[in-house]
Amino acid sequence: RRLRRYVSFRRRMPKERGIVNTWDIDKQFGFVSVTSGKPDAFLHSENIRDLNLREEVKKVGLKRGDKITFNLEPPETGRGK
Protein backbone atom coordinates (compact mmCIF):
# COMPACT_ATOMS: atom_id res chain seq x y z
CA ARG A 1 0.00 0.00 0.00
CA ARG A 2 1.62 3.21 -1.13
CA LEU A 3 -0.21 6.44 -0.57
CA ARG A 4 1.08 9.97 -0.38
CA ARG A 5 0.32 11.04 3.12
CA TYR A 6 0.01 14.68 4.12
CA VAL A 7 -0.70 15.49 7.71
CA SER A 8 -1.02 19.05 8.88
CA PHE A 9 -0.66 20.37 12.39
CA ARG A 10 -0.44 24.01 11.31
CA ARG A 11 -0.51 25.89 8.02
CA ARG A 12 2.29 28.46 8.49
CA MET A 13 5.16 26.33 9.77
CA PRO A 14 7.63 24.82 7.26
CA LYS A 15 6.88 21.29 6.12
CA GLU A 16 8.66 18.44 7.83
CA ARG A 17 9.13 14.86 6.70
CA GLY A 18 8.97 11.86 8.92
CA ILE A 19 8.39 8.15 9.34
CA VAL A 20 5.62 6.64 11.44
CA ASN A 21 7.03 4.84 14.49
CA THR A 22 3.86 3.63 16.13
CA TRP A 23 0.13 3.87 15.57
CA ASP A 24 -2.66 2.81 17.94
CA ILE A 25 -5.72 2.31 15.76
CA ASP A 26 -8.06 2.05 18.77
CA LYS A 27 -6.90 5.37 20.24
CA GLN A 28 -6.32 6.98 16.81
CA PHE A 29 -2.85 8.35 17.57
CA GLY A 30 0.80 7.58 17.13
CA PHE A 31 4.30 8.99 16.94
CA VAL A 32 6.41 10.08 13.99
CA SER A 33 10.21 10.29 13.77
CA VAL A 34 11.08 13.65 12.23
CA THR A 35 13.81 13.22 9.63
CA SER A 36 15.32 16.64 10.40
CA GLY A 37 16.42 15.30 13.79
CA LYS A 38 13.81 17.09 15.90
CA PRO A 39 12.14 15.09 18.70
CA ASP A 40 9.45 12.59 17.73
CA ALA A 41 6.09 14.20 17.01
CA PHE A 42 2.70 13.14 18.38
CA LEU A 43 0.00 12.70 15.75
CA HIS A 44 -3.75 12.28 16.30
CA SER A 45 -6.02 11.34 13.40
CA GLU A 46 -8.13 14.48 13.98
CA ASN A 47 -5.10 16.58 12.97
CA ILE A 48 -5.11 15.18 9.43
CA ARG A 49 -6.39 17.99 7.20
CA ASP A 50 -7.25 15.87 4.13
CA LEU A 51 -10.70 14.49 4.97
CA ASN A 52 -10.42 11.42 2.72
CA LEU A 53 -7.06 10.50 4.20
CA ARG A 54 -8.38 11.14 7.72
CA GLU A 55 -11.25 8.69 7.16
CA GLU A 56 -8.88 6.08 5.72
CA VAL A 57 -6.51 6.45 8.69
CA LYS A 58 -9.44 6.06 11.10
CA LYS A 59 -10.40 2.79 9.38
CA VAL A 60 -7.03 1.15 8.70
CA GLY A 61 -4.53 3.30 10.62
CA LEU A 62 -1.00 4.21 9.68
CA LYS A 63 1.71 1.56 9.44
CA ARG A 64 5.17 1.63 10.97
CA GLY A 65 7.50 2.89 8.26
CA ASP A 66 4.90 5.00 6.40
CA LYS A 67 6.54 8.19 5.15
CA ILE A 68 4.54 11.36 5.70
CA THR A 69 4.90 15.10 5.18
CA PHE A 70 3.51 17.39 7.85
CA ASN A 71 3.69 20.71 9.65
CA LEU A 72 4.59 20.88 13.34
CA GLU A 73 2.69 22.84 15.95
CA PRO A 74 3.75 23.45 19.56
CA PRO A 75 1.78 21.37 22.07
CA GLU A 76 -1.30 23.11 23.51
CA THR A 77 -1.25 21.41 26.91
CA GLY A 78 2.37 21.90 27.86
CA ARG A 79 3.06 18.20 27.35
CA GLY A 80 5.92 17.25 25.09
CA LYS A 81 8.06 20.29 25.85
Side-chain angles (χ1 to χ4, degrees), residues 22-40:
T22 60
W23 187 262
D24 186 321
I25 196 159
D26 295 324
K27 295 181 180 179
Q28 296 294 303
F29 74 83
F31 292 90
V32 177
S33 288
V34 184
T35 57
S36 67
K38 293 179 182 175
D40 287 358

Side-chain angles (χ1 to χ4, degrees), residues 10-51:
R10 190 174 189 170
R11 293 186 181 127
R12 295 180 222 184
M13 301 292 285
K15 289 184 183 176
E16 297 280 353
R17 292 176 186 221
I19 300 172
V20 176
N21 279 336
T22 60
W23 187 262
D24 186 321
I25 196 159
D26 295 324
K27 295 181 180 179
Q28 296 294 303
F29 74 83
F31 292 90
V32 177
S33 288
V34 184
T35 57
S36 67
K38 293 179 182 175
D40 287 358
F42 173 81
L43 170 62
H44 194 279
S45 63
E46 290 300 316
N47 295 106
I48 300 173
R49 193 176 356 170
D50 180 303
L51 296 178

